[in-house]
Amino acid sequence: MAYSLDEIALVPARRTRDPDDVSTKWRIDAFNFEFPVMAAPVDSVMSPDTAVAFAKLGACPVLDLEGLWVRYQDPAAIYQEIAQLSPERAVTRLQEIYQAPIDPELLAARISAVKAAGVIACGAFSPARVGDYYKTALDAGLEMLVIRGTTVSAEHVGASHEPINLKEFIYQLDIPVVVGGCASYQAALHLMRTGAAGVLVGFGGGSAHRTEDVLGVRVPMATALAEVATARRDYLDESGGRYVHVIADGGIGRSGDLAKALAVGADAVMLGAPLARASEAPGRGKHWGSEAAHASLPRGAVVELGTIGDLAEIMTGPSQRSDGSMNLIGALRRSMATCGYADVKEFQRVEVAVLGGR
């Protein structure tokens, strides 16, 4: 049996706290954040400008270093076109748009622009392209690297080409690396042994991906996080004290999902759709991931989410909605306070109930 976040609930204990006394701070490697949140590296959410704004709020932005901003000098017209695409035309046109080559000079310029604003320069590559462009990114000042794919393993077998050796690759870098997705104890343990600072749990995306429909691949997030959290504990013992962060990537659509993901073992979450609803998001209320533009097997769609407020309102409020889509951090603080815990690590000890009949 496996359970999604919708199938579990948090159980308050005998103690409660004032929400103002709760800390949501998160530290990974040498980087400190006010909130345990990363922005998903997707073009509908992240531009250099939104990356800077998101970082200044206190969270971790992640630029897509294979996206529109490193293929086009000014992608404004491309965004406008995507916003007007019909569902029938969207995937075909995305495939065409993303055939434009990656420009190493643009890649370096985007990273430099974010770093020049005085915030963390964090970016993501797919496993297939990280070996081609990581040196350009490092030379431009990249400070944290995310290697993100539908499923990333430490042991990829292929006869047609030599795959990247994650362990050798990560150990040669002087910056922290977050890698994933994965969804099982054994896969996560193997990724932790590569030297990664964090592992992504899940397959990326929720509202805009179709991985289950196309590949039949899905592991409900609550069970996946619990499995990987167990691997984190065992690797902590195996390595003599090396802590690897667990980051939930996918299926976090509401503030309640965020709280439950942390409760079952995540140290942080990666958000896509909730941030795509921000007025600053370059997708203009539309949301899509890189899997939607895959040249031969697209596994996503362009979905209409609309705009509900600015980034600050979505992250820290105030909220004018009661559906868990705004003031995500305020809701997390209240959830932690209701259950009696003062910080995220303590919150991972909260009692969790499996809901029957769902």
Side-chain angles (χ1 to χ4, degrees):
M1 293 292 293
Y3 300 98
S4 68
L5 294 174
D6 284 341
E7 295 174 297
I8 65 170
L10 310 184
V11 181
R14 62 182 178 84
R15 179 185 294 115
T16 57
R17 292 181 182 273
D18 191 305
D20 291 337
D21 296 334
V22 168
S23 171
T24 59
K25 292 182 184 295
W26 177 47
R27 178 184 177 91
I28 179 169
D29 200 81
F31 299 101
N32 295 293
F33 302 99
E34 291 298 314
F35 316 130
V37 176
M38 303 180 83
V42 292
D43 283 327
S44 57
V45 171
M46 284 283 101
S47 68
D49 287 343
T50 55
V52 172
F54 193 62
K56 289 184 175 180
L57 285 174
C60 181
V62 188
L63 277 176
D64 181 0
L65 298 179
E66 300 175 26
L68 297 177
W69 292 91
V70 301
R71 298 173 190 263
Y72 298 91
Q73 179 68 44
D74 181 4
I78 299 293
Y79 276 110
Q80 184 173 0
E81 180 184 357
I82 294 173
Q84 297 171 350
L85 287 173
S86 66
E88 297 77 19
R89 173 69 173 144
V91 170
T92 301
R93 183 60 184 132
L94 282 182
Q95 290 175 316
E96 296 168 351
I97 288 169
Y98 282 89
Q99 284 179 2
I102 294 172
D103 184 339
E105 292 186 3
L106 277 179
L107 191 156
R110 304 312 188 195
I111 294 170
S112 297
V114 172
K115 190 168 183 180
V119 301
I120 183 173
C122 178
F125 289 110
S126 65
R129 285 201 170 108
V130 66
D132 297 329
Y133 296 104
Y134 79 95
K135 289 183 179 178
T136 300
L138 292 177
D139 290 344
L142 190 73
E143 296 171 289
M144 185 185 299
L145 171 64
V146 176
I147 303 175
R148 184 177 187 250
T150 300
T151 301
V152 179
S153 69
E155 185 180 348
H156 178 75
V157 179
S160 61
H161 65 280
E162 183 66 27
I164 187 171
N165 184 314
L166 278 177
K167 188 169 186 178
E168 292 179 3
F169 178 77
I170 290 173
Y171 270 110
Q172 73 176 331
L173 300 180
D174 292 327
I175 63 172
V177 178
V178 174
V179 61
C182 68
S184 69
Y185 172 96
Q186 203 62 48
L189 191 60
H190 283 184
L191 289 179
M192 291 172 185
R193 288 169 177 161
T194 66
V199 295
L200 299 173
V201 180
F203 304 121
S207 61
H209 86 88
R210 302 289 184 268
T211 302
E212 183 180 8
D213 296 337
V214 178
L215 302 182
V217 172
R218 177 174 178 254
V219 176
M221 185 60 78
T223 296
L225 286 170
E227 286 250 331
V228 177
T230 301
R232 175 186 59 202
R233 181 200 63 201
D234 292 349
Y235 180 70
L236 189 69
D237 293 337
E238 173 189 305
S239 63
R242 186 172 182 276
Y243 189 90
V244 179
H245 292 259
V246 173
I247 301 158
D249 180 14
I252 313 293
R254 300 164 296 180
S255 54
D257 299 329
L258 194 164
K260 288 188 278 188
L262 298 177
V264 294
D267 297 286
V269 301
M270 180 170 274
L271 297 181
L275 304 180
R277 295 185 177 98
S279 56
E280 302 97 322
R284 305 182 182 192
K286 292 288 185 75
H287 182 46
W288 68 94
S290 58
E291 66 280 350
H294 193 281
S296 61
L297 191 66
R299 302 181 301 279
V302 178
V303 295
E304 176 67 60
L305 298 178
T307 300
I308 61 173
D310 61 31
L311 271 176
E313 290 172 325
I314 288 172
M315 288 297 293
T316 59
S319 173
Q320 293 82 44
R321 302 168 69 98
S322 59
D323 59 0
S325 62
M326 299 182 75
N327 196 2
L328 305 181
I329 301 304
L332 173 61
R333 288 181 182 277
R334 187 164 294 276
S335 179
M336 294 168 64
T338 299
C339 295
Y341 294 96
D343 58 42
V344 172
K345 286 309 298 179
E346 283 190 6
F347 192 45
Q348 291 172 349
R349 301 200 300 264
V350 68
E351 184 177 348
V352 176
V354 175
L355 304 176
R358 286 202 177 187

